[in-house]
Amino acid sequence: MRLKDKVAIVTGAASGFGEGMAKRFAEEGARVVVADLNAKGAERVADEIGPSAIAVASDVSSRSEVEEMVYAAKNTFGRVDIMINNAGYTHRNGDMLAVDEATFDLITAVNMKAIYHSALAVVPIMERQGGGVILNTASTAGLRPRPGLTWYNASKGWAITATKSMAVELAPKNIRVNCLCPVAGETGMLAQFMGEDTPELRAKFRASIPLGRLSTPLDIANAALWLASDEAAFITGVALEVDGGRCI
């Protein structure tokens, strides 16, 4: 029960890494706000967790919807201890010049601006409570960029730098800020990352990971659980590689 009596908001929690985090956090005693643009998916995950979770339909690119999401957490559970900025978006692997402006804008809105929106909403709450944890899902793409995902890579590099800067500025308020850098995993975005999903491409990708497999939602959830728990009370500003050795 490492998160007993803690309240966590997890965005992008209707599937993939976010679903893994929401369920793992609940297992460890947290009350969880399952937030996602996919309302039905969020409701499914919250129902599977049980009474300690609520579902909130939220577009994290919208400041007003992020504020409504945080209000729902406060209104239902009374506080916000952990903010997980996990929702993400990418363009399909390919020529950087072929990415249209609307897609570029959506990548920056979901992967970058959403972190700003959530900070505006939760930092004052956490400061009044005496502290808190913010965890951003970045990517190995922000540490070791590869061709074909240029604008996505750049957004994740931004998330890593923002994490470190937030950590320094918010440390006096006892708010820890870290980020996860997962390698691609068995999620709905895998086909976009690879360009297409074929057994040959999967084998090629796995071969680039020393531990020989893709990441799983549980891998990411366990890393997030530690960073969000009091066991990591002296850890802030870290970009934790959860990548089977990919970045070595």
Side-chain angles (χ1 to χ4, degrees):
M1 301 298 282
R2 282 178 280 179
L3 300 181
K4 188 176 187 299
D5 299 327
K6 303 286 189 183
V7 176
I9 300 172
V10 184
T11 69
S15 62
F17 296 156
E19 178 178 355
M21 285 188 250
K23 289 181 173 179
R24 190 74 184 90
F25 282 24
E27 288 173 357
E28 291 285 338
R31 290 165 289 172
V32 183
V33 176
V34 180
D36 204 289
L37 189 62
N38 175 0
K40 287 186 177 179
E43 288 168 5
R44 174 189 61 80
V45 172
D47 287 346
E48 289 175 5
I49 290 172
S52 63
I54 62 167
V56 176
S58 184
D59 176 358
V60 296
S61 69
S62 163
R63 180 173 175 179
S64 63
E65 292 200 25
V66 170
E67 289 172 346
E68 289 168 10
M69 172 185 75
V70 173
Y71 175 79
K74 280 273 291 176
N75 191 48
T76 305
F77 298 125
R79 56 189 295 117
V80 178
D81 300 288
I82 302 163
M83 179 71 229
I84 311 290
N85 293 302
N86 171 72
Y89 188 75
T90 185
H91 56 88
R92 184 172 293 278
N93 192 308
D95 182 357
M96 71 179 194
L97 302 182
V99 177
D100 61 79
E101 188 173 357
T103 301
F104 178 90
D105 287 345
L106 191 52
I107 289 167
T108 58
V110 175
N111 296 357
M112 296 163 57
K113 200 170 186 181
I115 296 174
Y116 164 74
H117 289 324
S118 74
L120 293 176
V122 302
V123 167
I125 295 170
M126 291 178 175
E127 185 176 9
R128 286 195 297 271
Q129 291 172 176
V133 174
I134 297 172
L135 186 59
N136 303 317
T137 300
S139 171
T140 55
L143 296 169
R144 291 194 67 190
R146 297 290 191 272
L149 290 171
T150 290
W151 310 122
Y152 173 81
N153 296 342
S155 73
K156 293 305 185 178
W158 183 97
I160 293 167
T161 301
T163 294
K164 292 177 179 291
S165 188
M166 290 167 69
V168 172
E169 185 164 342
L170 297 178
K173 304 180 192 297
N174 195 34
I175 298 172
R176 298 189 296 108
V177 189
N178 293 293
C179 66
L180 296 168
C181 295
V183 74
E186 303 281 356
T187 72
M189 291 172 71
L190 182 60
Q192 295 283 85
F193 289 141
M194 296 192 301
E196 58 180 332
D197 192 354
T198 66
E200 294 76 18
L201 279 174
R202 283 193 178 217
K204 182 180 177 181
F205 202 91
R206 279 196 300 270
S208 72
I209 301 171
L211 286 182
R213 65 172 176 83
L214 301 175
S215 67
T216 69
L218 185 59
D219 292 324
I220 310 310
N222 282 331
L225 171 63
W226 178 68
L227 285 173
S229 76
D230 290 341
E231 293 173 9
F234 201 52
I235 307 297
T236 197
V238 164
L240 180 62
E241 298 160 26
V242 189
D243 67 349
R246 166 78 163 166
C247 284
I248 296 170

